[in-house]
Amino acid sequence: MFTVFRGGRSGAWRVTRFAPVKGASLSPTPALSVVHSLTIALPIMPSPTSWRLAGVASHLRYAERAEKKQLDASPAEIGRPEATYAALIPIKKSAAWWELTQEERRQIFEDKSHHIASSLKYLPAIARQLYHSRDLGEPFDFLTWFEYAPAHADEFEELVRTLRATEEWRYVEREVDIRMERE
Ligand code: HEM
């Protein structure tokens, strides 16, 4: 199953902020829709100013048993009614990252950057879903999606700031930060 994000004129999410963080941006759109689809080719693009990005929810690569246990202990579902804020942050890492071995990447991701250890405290306030895109030949390697209630907006900013200051983020060569709101 593919998850397709489409930026355009319509969609369940109204875009409130559209910020290029690093590298080339995407064209800002007023709305965003999320579609789960059996085919990557859909939906058809209605206008030249819109864009689509696809990814697949996949298995864990780096988390170890104890971390998985901690993650599972604070389940935060996507689609909670109170979570009216969302963020889509597409990320591409550099060739240098992908040339590392799995063990070397784990070392940077967790032992040095504490990606999981320092993010766990934001659960379950921030619901998250990671989509992998790299093997689909997409422009980004990852599509990261977050949903939270307006009351947790400051915490989300803090989380994003913390991660962007890590060694892991030195390998990020393209990142766009799209924030949304729904009724
Ligand atoms: C991957 C946890 C917030 C970007 C992951 C993984 C976990 C995780 C468990 C997967 C590790 C694996 O494959 O075994 C969390 C938690 C967060 C959080 C608990 C807070 C609620 C964020 C934020 C961003 C982000 C805010 C973006 C700004 C990523 C990326 C990956 C990832 C790009 C893929 C890394 C790779 O495979 O190279 N995160 N994360 N995460 N996360 Fe987070």
Side-chain angles (χ1 to χ4, degrees):
M1 182 71 97
F2 299 100
T3 299
V4 182
F5 296 90
R6 195 182 64 82
R9 275 208 287 253
S10 63
W13 295 95
R14 188 172 63 80
V15 174
T16 52
R17 208 171 92 201
F18 205 111
V21 180
K22 204 166 180 198
S25 188
L26 292 161
S27 51
T29 59
L32 184 130
S33 68
V34 188
V35 184
H36 301 283
S37 163
L38 287 171
T39 136
I40 193 172
L42 294 172
I44 292 155
M45 285 201 280
S47 90
T49 51
S50 64
W51 45 261
R52 54 160 290 296
L53 296 171
V56 283
S58 183
H59 63 271
L60 293 172
R61 266 69 167 173
Y62 304 110
E64 294 180 348
R65 177 56 55 194
E67 289 155 354
K68 182 171 168 11
K69 224 170 137 185
Q70 284 176 289
L71 289 160
D72 293 346
S74 304
E77 302 294 326
I78 295 296
R80 292 175 296 181
E82 70 275 18
T84 55
Y85 281 15
L88 172 66
I89 308 182
I91 287 175
K92 182 178 169 66
K93 286 183 171 172
S94 64
W97 172 262
W98 295 108
E99 276 159 20
L100 297 171
T101 65
Q102 183 72 14
E103 282 158 310
E104 289 166 334
R105 286 195 294 264
R106 154 78 201 185
Q107 251 168 29
I108 295 164
F109 175 85
E110 193 56 30
D111 306 344
K112 294 191 177 150
S113 303
H114 314 293
H115 187 123
I116 302 174
S118 55
S119 301
L120 271 171
K121 65 169 184 257
Y122 297 95
L123 300 177
I126 313 291
R128 50 177 279 277
Q129 179 64 60
L130 173 66
Y131 299 94
H132 286 259
S133 295
R134 176 174 165 82
D135 294 337
L136 304 177
E138 285 279 306
F140 293 91
D141 296 331
F142 309 99
L143 305 176
T144 67
W145 176 260
F146 307 92
E147 289 181 9
Y148 48 97
H152 298 299
D154 290 349
E155 283 163 73
F156 187 71
E157 295 309 324
E158 180 192 83
L159 163 66
V160 167
R161 247 196 332 269
T162 305
L163 284 171
R164 287 189 181 134
T166 60
E167 185 167 336
E168 182 193 353
W169 248 255
R170 289 196 215 151
Y171 294 88
V172 172
E173 66 173 31
R174 188 178 179 197
E175 179 176 2
V176 183
D177 192 334
I178 306 165
R179 303 301 178 86
M180 291 143 282
E181 193 174 0
R182 64 170 166 77
E183 297 305 310

